[in-house]
Amino acid sequence: MTGQLKICIHRGTREIGGSCVELEYEGKRIVVDLGLPLNAELEATELPNIPSIHSPDGSLLGLLLSHGHRDHWGLLPKLRSGINVHLGRRTLSIMAAAAPFVPGGYVPPSAVAYEDKKTFDLGPFRITPHLMDHSGFDAYGFLIEAGGRRLYYSGDIRGHGRKAALFERFLVAPPTDIDVLLMEGSSLGRLAAVERFETENEIENRLLETMRRTSGIVLVACSAQNIDRVVSVYRAAKRSGRQMLVDAYAAEVLKATDTKSIPKPTDEWSDVKVYIPQAQRRFLKEKNIAALVDTYKGRRVFPEALPEEAAKSVMLIRPWMLRDLALARALTGASAVWSQWDGYLKEEAGIKFQEACRVASVDFEIIHTSGHADPQDLQRFAEAMKAKKLVPIHTFQPDQFEGLFANVARVVDGEWFHA
Ligand SMILES: [Zn+2]
Ligand SMILES: [Zn+2]
């Protein structure tokens, strides 16, 4: 007698963040994502109640990580050693590059890299990763087969980023005969069914307008790990005849993409340069990674040169860097663009940043688009997949699924169901 594939969403049926799914077949199990809930502290958050996660009983065969966002990997530091974490090769290199720079940065000690569309087995589970369009670089959905059943986990997806063509190709020939689709719904409740998100191309054009009308430096506050956005900034910079300046953190993340088409401070990209703020110079020494700066030789812009370079430069910044740029007298005629979630503007660093812009007479505007699919692209995704059962995940609005998609089956956190 053969067993049945069983599924438990430990967290994610009614929230964005902390995603964690356990799959079980004949006493063997795998876990998909192990995220930190939004606004949660690592120390104060318990691991989900999964057999073998605390002490080995041989049943947990590994953990699949869909991409490098903390709402998907944030609880990994609590995982006992000896459990393999399977993730994209570039996700791993970006996590490693970012780790010294970000609070709570982490690299899984037993990491195993998977490749797009290269099927691999973990015991009775057959897994095929599918590279997707998302604001997180190297993000995947998973086809998971066991005991003759087929489950698809969407991961975080969108259809309006720089990998939009990939999204369209996926819709033309998606995995077939899907019994259960776990699909994200981040945009539900944020956007009406008829509204669309701006595309990364539209973001690029708006950035270009700002760069063209600004006489001084253009500062773009965005996540260096939102590689699509960095590419939009770079392309707009190039079109406006400007160079792109990045700090050591962004430089290391961009290098870690190990992707030919991504701009980075290396020989092939003469218009990408490195500016190291004073505070970062101290930080690099403290962390014992000051030798990094040697690798930027010949590509540095120093504070004394900045006032002169400002008019032909765009800089990726984080809010704390503004003070450094003011001290370098580089803000005459400058513009600042907030190119990340506007919720951060209500937090202390965001409020201070806007205030500092006002004091320094720096123009401020928001140019941003979501990392997640709008409802129409989610509908196209669901229609293409034709799953027998569509289970909401990674959403604050699971109740909206029934009105938008076919075959919706809602479940609750911690409850087991059959595929
Ligand atoms: Zn994500
Ligand atoms: Zn997410």
Side-chain angles (χ1 to χ4, degrees):
M1 196 182 131
T2 57
Q4 257 188 311
L5 175 61
K6 289 195 290 180
I7 304 148
C8 176
I9 299 178
H10 286 282
R11 193 190 281 270
T13 63
R14 53 188 172 86
E15 72 189 285
I16 294 171
S19 284
C20 179
V21 181
E22 180 187 355
L23 304 180
E24 199 235 277
Y25 180 76
E26 293 192 325
K28 299 292 182 191
R29 61 195 84 247
I30 56 173
V31 171
V32 183
D33 287 340
L34 192 60
L36 187 67
L38 297 183
N39 304 319
E41 296 286 335
L42 177 64
E43 288 71 29
T45 310
E46 298 277 319
L47 281 174
N49 182 23
I50 296 170
S52 192
I53 207 160
H54 295 289
S55 53
D57 66 5
S59 71
L60 181 55
L61 304 178
L63 191 138
L64 304 179
L65 180 65
S66 62
H67 65 288
H69 280 159
R70 206 173 287 243
D71 62 320
H72 296 257
W73 67 257
L75 288 180
L76 283 183
K78 292 204 153 179
L79 203 62
R80 69 173 166 82
S81 60
I83 300 173
N84 283 344
V85 175
H86 300 259
L87 74 178
R89 178 173 64 82
R90 294 178 170 94
T91 299
L92 176 60
S93 59
I94 289 174
M95 283 174 89
F101 291 94
V102 296
Y106 179 75
V107 189
S110 34
V112 185
Y114 56 65
E115 299 272 346
D116 183 31
K117 293 187 186 63
K118 297 257 167 69
T119 301
F120 61 97
D121 292 328
L122 292 177
F125 301 96
R126 173 151 286 190
I127 297 138
T128 310
H130 287 267
L131 183 65
M132 299 305 293
D133 185 17
H134 179 45
S135 52
F137 195 66
D138 205 31
Y140 295 83
F142 300 116
L143 171 66
I144 303 172
E145 302 162 87
R149 294 289 175 165
R150 289 160 67 82
L151 172 141
Y152 193 86
Y153 175 80
S154 74
D156 288 1
I157 50 169
R158 66 173 171 181
H160 59 271
R162 298 216 158 266
K163 288 191 173 71
L166 193 102
F167 181 77
E168 297 302 328
R169 278 205 298 279
F170 182 89
L171 295 193
V172 171
T176 54
D177 301 315
I178 300 301
D179 295 293
V180 179
L181 168 62
L182 306 183
M183 190 182 80
E184 73 124 309
S186 313
S187 65
L188 306 187
R190 293 178 178 176
L191 209 63
V194 292
E195 290 178 295
R196 306 303 311 255
F197 283 129
E198 276 183 288
T199 65
E200 276 297 327
N201 283 328
E202 288 167 328
I203 295 298
E204 177 188 325
N205 289 334
R206 284 176 59 196
L207 287 165
L208 177 63
E209 275 170 37
T210 297
M211 291 175 196
R212 284 194 170 141
R213 69 160 187 267
T214 300
S215 60
I217 195 167
V218 177
L219 310 170
V220 183
C222 74
S223 162
Q225 293 194 45
N226 184 344
I227 305 295
D228 274 21
R229 184 60 42 81
V230 175
V231 171
S232 298
V233 172
Y234 172 78
R235 288 170 58 102
K238 197 168 182 65
R239 288 167 68 190
S240 67
R242 291 170 183 260
Q243 62 188 354
M244 183 168 79
L245 307 181
V246 298
D247 73 328
Y249 165 57
E252 291 310 301
V253 167
L254 292 171
K255 277 156 67 183
T257 61
D258 191 24
T259 300
K260 218 173 161 2
S261 57
I262 307 294
K264 50 185 89 61
T266 56
D267 285 345
E268 299 80 42
W269 303 82
S270 58
D271 45 7
V272 181
K273 300 224 172 96
V274 180
Y275 177 81
I276 300 184
Q278 193 63 37
Q280 188 165 61
R281 208 168 302 171
R282 285 194 298 272
F283 174 87
L284 293 173
K285 278 203 189 105
E286 279 163 28
K287 291 268 173 178
N288 246 332
I289 48 174
L292 274 181
V293 300
D294 297 338
T295 65
Y296 313 138
K297 215 167 174 198
R299 273 179 284 279
R300 294 273 300 276
V301 170
F302 292 93
E304 348 28 299
L306 204 56
E308 204 176 304
E309 300 274 325
K312 52 170 185 170
S313 300
V314 173
M315 189 185 289
L316 297 187
I317 61 152
R318 280 169 286 155
W320 59 264
M321 293 181 192
L322 201 63
R323 198 169 158 263
D324 187 273
L325 299 173
L327 288 173
R329 301 181 186 284
L331 294 179
T332 310
S335 291
V337 177
W338 191 262
S339 200
Q340 54 198 325
W341 184 51
D342 60 4
Y344 295 136
L345 285 172
K346 297 187 186 87
E347 295 172 7
E348 197 189 336
I351 294 167
K352 275 193 182 158
F353 181 71
Q354 290 170 91
E355 175 62 14
C357 285
R358 207 181 51 76
V359 169
S361 302
V362 172
D363 282 346
F364 177 89
E365 69 185 312
I366 300 170
I367 302 178
H368 182 54
T369 193
S370 175
H372 298 271
D374 53 40
Q376 290 184 46
D377 277 341
L378 286 176
Q379 283 178 315
R380 294 171 61 221
F381 186 84
E383 277 161 24
M385 295 295 288
K386 294 185 188 66
K388 294 190 185 90
K389 210 182 325 189
L390 192 166
V391 178
I393 190 168
H394 201 283
T395 182
F396 285 116
Q397 305 290 335
D399 50 322
Q400 289 191 16
F401 272 63
E402 268 110 342
L404 292 167
F405 316 111
N407 305 332
V408 173
R410 281 189 58 185
V411 299
V412 297
D413 282 359
E415 217 172 70
W416 286 92
F417 59 101
H418 291 289

